[in-house]
Amino acid sequence: MSDVAPKLRAVFVEALDLDGDVDVENLKYRDIEAWDSVGHMALIAAVEDEFDVEFDTDQVIDMSSFKVAVDMVIELQSKND
């Protein structure tokens, strides 16, 4: 897996205020209370800041899991190269 995943994991932990032992890699939207619609927007902002990318509306809606987020960040970074 790329180096995106470890950095993204840290963003998820901080943005959603997760305990360090949470299985972030298998986390999906609304699996936990913190990842509700408000948490989702905070997470989106944190990911955009960390990776210097910008999600469009469809991507914001489609980011339904950690795995999907990793793929989206990799795709956005490749477009910026």
Side-chain angles (χ1 to χ4, degrees), residues 19-38:
D19 291 333
D21 60 347
V22 171
D23 182 12
V24 175
E25 286 74 16
N26 291 310
L27 194 60
K28 295 180 182 165
Y29 181 61
R30 295 195 185 266
D31 271 355
I32 57 170
E33 188 174 324
W35 197 358
D36 60 5
S37 59
V38 174

Side-chain angles (χ1 to χ4, degrees), residues 8-70:
L8 190 58
R9 185 184 193 290
V11 172
F12 267 66
V13 168
E14 183 171 329
L16 298 176
D17 195 26
L18 303 174
D19 291 333
D21 60 347
V22 171
D23 182 12
V24 175
E25 286 74 16
N26 291 310
L27 194 60
K28 295 180 182 165
Y29 181 61
R30 295 195 185 266
D31 271 355
I32 57 170
E33 188 174 324
W35 197 358
D36 60 5
S37 59
V38 174
H40 188 70
M41 295 313 297
L43 179 61
I44 292 290
V47 173
E48 288 179 334
D49 287 347
E50 177 65 29
F51 293 96
D52 195 26
V53 295
E54 187 172 327
F55 296 106
D56 65 27
T57 302
D58 289 338
Q59 291 168 320
V60 169
I61 293 167
D62 291 344
M63 195 174 85
S64 58
S65 71
F66 177 81
K67 291 178 182 176
V68 170
V70 170

